[in-house]
Amino acid sequence: DQHLTLLAGPCAIESYEVCAQVAEQLKNLTDELKINFIFKSSFDKANRSSGSSDRGAGLEKGLAILDRIKKEYQVPIVTDVHESYQCQPVAEVADVLQIPAYLSRQTDLLVAAAKTGRVVNIKKAQFMAAGDLQGAIDKVIPYSNKILLTERGTMFGYHQQIVDMTNLLQLRQLGYPVIYDATHSVQVPGGHGNHSGGNRDFAFPLMRAALTIGVAGIFAEVHPNPPTAISDADNQLYLNKMRPILTTAAALFSQYQDQKESWDQDGLL
Amino acid sequence: DQHLTLLAGPCAIESYEVCAQVAEQLKNLTDELKINFIFKSSFDKANRSSGSSDRGAGLEKGLAILDRIKKEYQVPIVTDVHESYQCQPVAEVADVLQIPAYLSRQTDLLVAAAKTGRVVNIKKAQFMAAGDLQGAIDKVIPYSNKILLTERGTMFGYHQQIVDMTNLLQLRQLGYPVIYDATHSVQVPGGHGNHSGGNRDFAFPLMRAALTIGVAGIFAEVHPNPPTAISDADNQLYLNKMRPILTTAAALFSQYQDQKESWDQDGLL
Amino acid sequence: DQHLTLLAGPCAIESYEVCAQVAEQLKNLTDELKINFIFKSSFDKANRSSGSSDRGAGLEKGLAILDRIKKEYQVPIVTDVHESYQCQPVAEVADVLQIPAYLSRQTDLLVAAAKTGRVVNIKKAQFMAAGDLQGAIDKVIPYSNKILLTERGTMFGYHQQIVDMTNLLQLRQLGYPVIYDATHSVQVPGGHGNHSGGNRDFAFPLMRAALTIGVAGIFAEVHPNPPTAISDADNQLYLNKMRPILTTAAALFSQYQDQKESWDQDGLL
Amino acid sequence: DQHLTLLAGPCAIESYEVCAQVAEQLKNLTDELKINFIFKSSFDKANRSSGSSDRGAGLEKGLAILDRIKKEYQVPIVTDVHESYQCQPVAEVADVLQIPAYLSRQTDLLVAAAKTGRVVNIKKAQFMAAGDLQGAIDKVIPYSNKILLTERGTMFGYHQQIVDMTNLLQLRQLGYPVIYDATHSVQVPGGHGNHSGGNRDFAFPLMRAALTIGVAGIFAEVHPNPPTAISDADNQLYLNKMRPILTTAAALFSQYQDQKESWDQDGLL
């Protein structure tokens, strides 16, 4: 595509109101900036560090909210699935089914997602090299070739995560559009003992880096008031900062598109 | 307990015959050495690197084989579960339900396993610090306090895994019996491109190390002819080498039990 | 400064001719692109993986060549020092004394370099977090505040190195100009058994990433014919590709300079 | 050798008195337990995190103290060297010259140490795989084949270190006696911001692990009152706990010696 893709929204479906506020503003902004916008939010935080953390709206209520957002704001939807049985009902609403990073080796889940015919967004696990995602791709392609590959950072010791930007280059070679997840990549796993912390300030600089290296899209958690969010409070982006962030992102995307042929000819891509 | 616990058997349920051969010999050997033996085998390899790898017998056929082994050899059974719906049927046969390392943060799976009333063996994920397992424990204990914690190695860069033996000390402080997984710990993830390799020769030395540090039990994949196994061919132990291995293991276990009080008094445990 | 700084040249002083060829072309190119050029080459590869690898020209002969390059091409010189006694003679030629990454904790070497009054370029060790470089800075500042800080990648498991781009942001906070070493960062330590390999193709994309994140300068090994180089044959850049590389680098540097105030006002830098 | 070797003493030469106290007690204890004792202390902490940390006695005064200890207690001496010029004077007192881990690739230092004819103890760097030490060995053997190889832990992310016990097995295959450094292995690099922390409680369990895996010797920092030590206060062992520690160590060493032939015959070593 000639336009940047953006998968964004609040981490968890906290309420219709929060979803609607984010969807409306991002829809307007991305229309203006010619960015392909896909609204993202999770109906279930199925792998919270702690069992007593809020898990969000749940499957039924969550899908109803996503469906309302989809219709009211005319935006496609991406959300994640955690067990095989969820794929069918989720696919009735979501245009993109996302495989969480920890689950990216679960054959049954990948197959069930692929069989829905929806796009499957596979997040590369934090313990995986880029090439290892070929195994996940091979599980999907007998049923569907609508695949996205998302980089969301790599474990580096205990309670630490880094982004190895060469993964973007290597994922690209697998032949599917590569998305850079700008906010989970700056998580600090276990950073607050019983829940994850994050370095929100690193999200925009690393997003710029990914875009100048060359990606098809950006994934970002965006919230009207991140510190009050029920999850990823330390790394979600502020909704009211998305104008300068997305303006830069769209410009860097275009810049890469403009130069890639010339770099390719010079053997420099 | 005053005796070493051993969770062992072929990685996957390849056939009744392979299971029976391993169960019979290990049952005799562990009776002789006064080791608590729990037969282990997986009905489904649900997260193979490659979708075309053999996944084993499947739920129904696999449970039938495990049930037959249980009755014929009078041994308790441990096997792993991958999605919540499996916990109930599996618990009708298995005495211990094992949560795979990659899934050790999946709240629904932990809760479903706990609700069966069977022992839950939680494997610590390869991307987790020991203390992070408290989150998994907290998801189980509202329903059950029959918990085992298993160390199976930690990712170290791409395609590399190490064993940080201090995890055994830290897991012990969480208050549940600690098992050392001697064969998955020597896997080389992605070592053969599309499937994992392993360093079988490191399994016994590291097992000795774990036992002198102090663990309640050992987990080991054991096969009559590992190179022909459908999974973990490079790290399963040879059945015919289990006599010297288990003789040493039982001795090191006793030695630790004999000395721990004295070390504790010296502040050295 | 308002211009990009470039520390570049062949990894080792192989001969006057190779140095002169690189110096001449880079001098012309950087004059044209308004880049501050500092010629870099090492008189001694003092920590080769193997003792039988070629170590280069040696202190006396090497300094003579660097001195000739300096005068003929009117370029400042940077070269690395390995033991304290070398600092004084090296400082008679070199404008910048570079502390190798492995040696960045050696107090005597840092102090000896600082006492010469020359700029000290401290490379962050592959086993260090950004903030740890404060210790090295504190050893230099009693004698000199002319300091550069260089990021050159981080060990990630055995025989693997990654670049954690957040180090550039954190090094910047230490208050000195930050240089991104574009070619050592893509080394594969021990990649060829008895010597290091490298991923030359990753150098330019990661350099772009560093520049959009915001650095004062770029360090790069540049050789007329890298595969024949006595060291870093797999990661040195081709001299004849430096025009498109440096044109992009200068543009990204300017772009960052133009936007940083606006980003700073938005709390996004 | 049929006896365990112990390289031990206070981390830094703080004073003659501290050295003498440790040397006397360890000499008596190791005589009783039939352990080969080599007194270790450093005249210079040349790579402190912070330049303002105490570096110890210095070369001249330090060597004088080591010489006095050597003669009064009839013990061989091991101490570390940091630049080539130190090797000759140090070798006049020390029986073993130790190459610090960070410096284990410095060709000049290795060669200068080898040329003294003394034993060279090469510490494997925290960023090195076991096999990489072959490069260091190859630099020494043209001059001397009296070599020890020491494992002292491996960096795991930032500010974290682990011990990969398989390194002991792999170092052994390089053909020289392998020493396990029980106290540096439990350092927490940068654990206190401007100086390293440590987990003293892990030292004895990991030492047991190393001994049951099979090593020729143990290295340990031992101090009469570790919390007051000028360096490694968090990981040095208490002198008054060395009796139970060394009694166990000697027993585990003998146990390994007794069993290794049988394990070797079973292909299990």
Side-chain angles (χ1 to χ4, degrees), chain C residues 46-51 55 83-84 102-103 105-108 127-129 132 135 139 155 158-159 164 167, chain D residues 46-49 51 55 83-84 102-103 105-108 127-129 132 135 139 155 158-159 164 167:
Chain C
N47 58 14
R48 300 301 303 256
S49 302
S50 162
R55 291 178 58 174
E83 295 206 354
S84 309
Y102 292 144
L103 304 181
R105 289 179 60 131
Q106 301 303 315
T107 306
D108 285 346
F127 48 83
M128 248 187 205
D132 299 343
K139 295 172 183 178
M155 284 305 294
Y158 300 123
H159 298 154
D164 171 2
N167 280 323
Chain D
N47 59 13
R48 301 300 303 256
S49 303
R55 290 178 59 175
E83 296 205 352
S84 310
Y102 292 144
L103 304 180
R105 288 179 60 129
Q106 301 302 314
T107 307
D108 285 346
F127 47 83
M128 249 186 206
D132 300 343
K139 296 172 183 178
M155 283 306 294
Y158 299 124
H159 298 155
D164 171 2
N167 280 322

Side-chain angles (χ1 to χ4, degrees), chain D residues 185-196:
Chain D
S185 288
V186 297
Q187 268 187 339
V188 180
H192 293 296
N194 68 345
H195 65 285
S196 292

Side-chain angles (χ1 to χ4, degrees), chain D residues 151 180-186 202-204 207 218-220 235 237:
Chain D
E151 166 65 32
Y180 173 66
D181 179 340
T183 47
H184 289 99
S185 288
V186 297
F202 294 161
F204 179 51
M207 185 196 300
I218 293 293
F219 177 108
N235 45 303
L237 297 176

Side-chain angles (χ1 to χ4, degrees), chain C residues 78-132:
Chain C
V78 53
T79 198
D80 36 7
V81 288
H82 314 279
E83 295 206 354
S84 309
Y85 77 89
Q86 299 173 337
C87 294
Q88 197 48 50
V90 167
E92 283 167 33
V93 174
D95 306 84
V96 182
L97 270 61
Q98 180 166 288
I99 307 296
Y102 292 144
L103 304 181
S104 59
R105 289 179 60 131
Q106 301 303 315
T107 306
D108 285 346
L109 183 64
L110 286 157
V111 166
K115 283 181 171 171
T116 66
R118 294 297 199 173
V119 177
V120 180
N121 180 22
I122 312 173
K123 300 193 108 169
K124 182 170 72 63
Q126 298 89 328
F127 48 83
M128 248 187 205
D132 299 343

Side-chain angles (χ1 to χ4, degrees), chain C:
Chain C
D1 204 313
Q2 291 311 94
H3 299 298
L4 176 65
T5 292
L6 176 72
L7 296 75
C11 178
I13 303 176
E14 301 178 14
S15 69
Y16 166 74
E17 288 69 25
V18 168
C19 287
Q21 185 181 356
V22 174
E24 181 171 11
Q25 293 195 30
L26 289 184
K27 170 69 174 160
N28 291 340
L29 194 51
T30 54
D31 278 354
E32 182 186 330
L33 295 168
K34 296 201 196 317
I35 293 171
N36 299 322
F37 173 48
I38 305 175
F39 181 81
K40 187 269 167 183
S41 201
S42 298
F43 59 83
D44 185 17
K45 307 311 294 177
N47 58 14
R48 300 301 303 256
S49 302
S50 162
S52 57
S53 295
D54 193 334
R55 291 178 58 174
L59 181 63
E60 200 174 347
K61 193 169 156 224
L63 286 179
I65 292 174
L66 290 177
D67 194 46
R68 196 170 155 196
I69 296 292
K70 180 177 188 163
K71 286 169 181 155
E72 290 184 11
Y73 298 99
Q74 296 291 310
V75 288
I77 299 288
V78 53
T79 198
D80 36 7
V81 288
H82 314 279
E83 295 206 354
S84 309
Y85 77 89
Q86 299 173 337
C87 294
Q88 197 48 50
V90 167
E92 283 167 33
V93 174
D95 306 84
V96 182
L97 270 61
Q98 180 166 288
I99 307 296
Y102 292 144
L103 304 181
S104 59
R105 289 179 60 131
Q106 301 303 315
T107 306
D108 285 346
L109 183 64
L110 286 157
V111 166
K115 283 181 171 171
T116 66
R118 294 297 199 173
V119 177
V120 180
N121 180 22
I122 312 173
K123 300 193 108 169
K124 182 170 72 63
Q126 298 89 328
F127 48 83
M128 248 187 205
D132 299 343
L133 220 48
Q134 186 63 52
I137 293 169
D138 289 343
K139 295 172 183 178
V140 171
I141 48 178
Y143 309 100
S144 164
N145 64 358
K146 292 186 282 184
I147 295 173
L148 302 175
L149 305 178
T150 296
E151 167 65 32
R152 51 91 72 234
T154 302
M155 284 305 294
F156 180 60
Y158 300 123
H159 298 154
Q160 297 177 138
Q161 202 184 235
I162 48 89
V163 183
D164 171 2
M165 292 274 167
T166 69
N167 280 323
L168 300 174
L169 297 161
Q170 295 176 79
L171 286 175
R172 207 158 65 190
Q173 292 173 354
L174 301 182
Y176 296 91
V178 175
I179 310 295
Y180 173 66
D181 179 339
T183 47
H184 289 99
S185 288
V186 296
Q187 268 185 340
V188 179
H192 292 296
N194 68 345
H195 65 285
S196 291
N199 290 118
R200 189 183 356 264
D201 289 350
F202 294 161
F204 179 52
L206 293 184
M207 186 197 298
R208 299 198 304 265
L211 284 159
T212 193
I213 283 175
V215 291
I218 293 293
F219 176 108
E221 299 169 301
V222 179
H223 195 279
N225 189 9
T228 69
I230 66 167
S231 57
D232 283 344
D234 288 354
N235 46 303
Q236 298 203 49
L237 297 177
Y238 279 86
L239 179 56
N240 69 7
K241 293 199 177 177
M242 293 309 288
R243 176 172 290 276
I245 288 175
L246 291 180
T247 304
T248 296
L252 285 168
F253 179 84
S254 296
Q255 193 167 300
Y256 177 81
Q257 298 299 319
D258 291 346
Q259 298 189 277
K260 70 177 179 185
E261 255 176 72
S262 151
W263 287 338
D264 201 15
Q265 281 167 18
D266 289 329
L268 287 175
L269 201 56

